[in-house]
């Protein structure tokens, strides 16, 4: 196959453009039998999702959408952001976390890492 990222839908359309009328289910079956299915959108390219359902106790919503404050270091928040490049596989991802003070929007500490672990998120907090 010229392009390994072609799925059964694209192959079906290409066949129809060449005048070959074929059912998409037949193309899918033949591609499965010959191991020609698209690998570009498999599980390894999906975005990281740490959700495991309700585990433990849910923290009380102390912020309650009140993001303004008149005291420094009263409300500090963090977030983890994923950046992907290249073929967007697991080996081509980096994660960024920053601690932000809502008093003036200043970034207090930040970290960049290749894996999202508890140590990755808490290291800037300890610094």
């Amino acid at each position: 196959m010229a392009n390994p990222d072609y799925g059964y839908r694209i192959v079906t359309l290409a066949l129809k453009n060449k005048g070959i009328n074929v059912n998409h289910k037949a193309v899918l079956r033949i591609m499965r039998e010959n191991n020609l299915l698209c690998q570009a959108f498999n599980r390894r390219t999906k975005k990281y999702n740490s959700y495991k359902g309700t585990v433990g106790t849910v923290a009380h919503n102390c912020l309650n959408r009140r993001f303004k404050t008149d005291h420094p270091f009263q409300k500090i928040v963090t977030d983890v952001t994923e950046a992907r490049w290249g073929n967007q596989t697991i080996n081509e991802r980096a994660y960024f976390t920053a601690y932000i003070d809502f008093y003036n929007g200043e970034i207090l500490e930040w970290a960049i890492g290749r894996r999202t672990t508890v140590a990755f998120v808490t290291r800037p907090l300890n610094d």
Side-chain angles (χ1 to χ4, degrees):
M1 181 177 269
N3 191 337
D5 292 341
Y6 280 5
Y8 75 94
R9 293 178 184 97
I10 299 287
V11 172
T12 305
L13 285 174
L15 289 171
K16 285 187 181 182
N17 289 338
K18 290 189 176 204
I20 303 169
N21 194 12
V22 64
N23 190 306
H24 68 279
K25 295 177 197 171
V27 173
L28 176 60
R29 188 190 77 234
I30 292 169
M31 287 180 73
R32 274 190 187 141
E33 290 171 356
N34 294 302
N35 261 348
L36 295 174
L37 286 180
C38 175
Q39 299 299 317
F41 304 103
N42 62 8
R43 184 181 164 277
R44 295 179 66 80
T45 60
K46 287 185 182 172
K47 203 169 195 179
Y48 175 75
N49 185 2
S50 63
Y51 183 71
K52 295 178 182 174
T54 306
V55 177
T57 58
V58 177
H60 179 67
N61 184 9
C62 299
L63 224 51
N64 203 18
R65 299 196 58 80
R66 291 173 288 165
F67 303 122
K68 302 271 189 218
T69 182
D70 53 355
H71 300 297
F73 306 109
Q74 183 182 34
K75 296 178 183 179
I76 298 173
V77 295
T78 187
D79 183 37
V80 177
T81 302
E82 176 187 81
R84 297 190 278 176
W85 65 88
N87 293 330
Q88 299 186 354
T89 62
I90 290 176
N91 297 329
E92 296 168 332
R93 296 179 187 188
Y95 299 93
F96 174 76
T97 184
Y99 282 88
I100 302 170
D101 187 1
F102 274 156
Y103 173 67
N104 56 3
E106 179 182 8
I107 295 177
L108 303 173
E109 279 291 332
W110 57 272
I112 296 176
R114 297 297 296 265
R115 296 178 55 209
T116 54
T117 60
V118 174
F120 165 72
V121 176
T122 56
R123 187 175 348 115
L125 184 63
N126 295 332
D127 292 345

